[in-house]
Amino acid sequence: MLEQSIKTQVTDLFASLKNQYIFQIKVASSHPNREELISLLTDVASCTDKVNLDVQEESGLSFSILKNNKNTNVTFKAVPNGHEFTTLLLAVLNLDGIGKNLPDEMLTKRIQGISQKIEIKSFISLSCTNCPDVVQALNIMAFLNKNISHEIIDGAINQQEADELNIQAVPSVYANGKQLHVGRSSLGELLGKIEEEFGSDYNPQAQENKEYDVIVAGGGPAGVSAAIYSARKGFSVAIVAEKIGGQVTETVSIENMISIPKTTGSELSGNLMKHLNDYPIDILDNRMVENLEVVDGVKILTTSLNETLTTPALIIATGASWRKLNIPGESDYIGAGVAFCTHCDGPFYKGKKVVVIGGGNSGLEAAIDLSAIATEVQVLEFMNEVKGDQVLQDKIKELSNVSITPNAETLSIDGDGNKVTSLTYKDRESGKVEIVSTDGVFVQIGLTANSKVFADTVKTNRIGEIEIDAHCRTNQAGIYAAGDVSVVPYKQIVIAMGEGSKAALSAFDDKIKGLLLAN
């Protein structure tokens, strides 16, 4: 089942395993995915003498990983192909104490401070680009705390279980039967939600103030570029981010990285991390900057883990997030008919009717993707014509099940209390209000800059982008901005990388001139 090249890579990854592992498979002889699961796990186990299989005849389909014959609190009700194949490999590596995704000492203590018994279920799709990060984070929690168990459930294989909970978006995370989270997330955010819901015995100690020559906020292409260029100039550098790669990790295919004809978001994110690890950069992931003060030119940052970091030079590269409509019903039905990622949630709308809000490139691309899944796709565009590239408009014209409605102002997303049933919009020309029956709404209206934490310190424009000069300098000495969080036009990966390096070089130049702490 696995290609020889992949087997070779797995053999190399597992070469340093110290413990013995068993994939304990429980599967019905008649299950349609039985042979696929056994074949996959047999191939993985063949890459090392540290992993064996134990196949038991039971109803359904699942497997768990035993470490030295002991349960590890994680169960897969899935065949971990696609994006989840890495999750399988990381599970074994993490159990052996290997992996750059393992949390630092502070996060580990917080995880171990959960004293309540928590049964977590994560509903996923193998096509979901957001699911692996969530699943891998929850696996780590289960590995580090015996009070936490984690069940990974592929909604396509376990359709009845997904339908009973009306799962319409992935990843959907349930803790002790109650929905905990929907959508992309990080270890830090998920842990915070669990602590809020179930409490914690963790007592944080006073954190030592850490000083750096440069601190980079954000782990996307701009942030990584800024950190590497800063380190190459001899600065002591820390990068503070939810995850390395940022929003890039959600991108399925990247075909405009010059000199790299084709790659994926996950591959690029992995390469960004590899490049960071070539330099003495402190990677403070699974946290965010929550507060910024400037005292006598010194930038004092507080993170979501209550750390205090100080620096004369701050590079803001926090990127942007999906914009929301902020209309009635939108927040109420996220995960129950309102979605933002077609690759993640599109499969739940097979044979159903959906609405895409937004006629830019992202909206038209979403409509094209959904046309192969849904029976009917209606695109609502606020302006009098769509704004997407002509090549996408031409493709839309070829699709018989896609229609475009211009001059449409979305007023509300409506439902029955459990799921979306309709959408209300107004024709901006006639003023007529229309109600559209739909099973799902995909919001594709662009991005909003992640600048809120910094908005009281540096100037932003009306849509929250940080204003910069040609050298990425903000109005505050020693603070720079790069990438999608700034006013720089054309939000592209290659542009973000260039802006990140420019910000780092500007910081170096300002240090030489003694301008970092200027008032």
Side-chain angles (χ1 to χ4, degrees), residues 437-456:
S437 295
T438 186
D439 298 298
V441 177
F442 286 80
V443 182
Q444 299 285 308
I445 57 172
L447 301 169
T448 184
N450 297 324
S451 61
K452 186 177 180 180
V453 171
F454 312 103
D456 291 336

Side-chain angles (χ1 to χ4, degrees), residues 109-110 112-116 199-204:
K109 288 179 178 178
R110 282 180 58 190
Q112 293 170 341
I114 305 296
S115 58
Q116 280 201 48
S200 172
D201 294 339
Y202 172 66
N203 291 314

Side-chain angles (χ1 to χ4, degrees), residues 105-119:
E105 183 181 2
M106 182 187 297
L107 274 173
T108 298
K109 288 179 178 178
R110 282 180 58 190
I111 292 169
Q112 293 170 341
I114 305 296
S115 58
Q116 280 201 48
K117 289 284 186 182
I118 306 173
E119 296 180 357

Side-chain angles (χ1 to χ4, degrees), residues 166 168 329 332-334 336 413-422:
N166 192 36
Q168 289 187 289
D332 297 334
Y333 290 105
I334 289 177
I413 298 172
D414 310 304
D416 61 7
N418 294 313
K419 63 182 184 299
V420 167
T421 56
S422 63

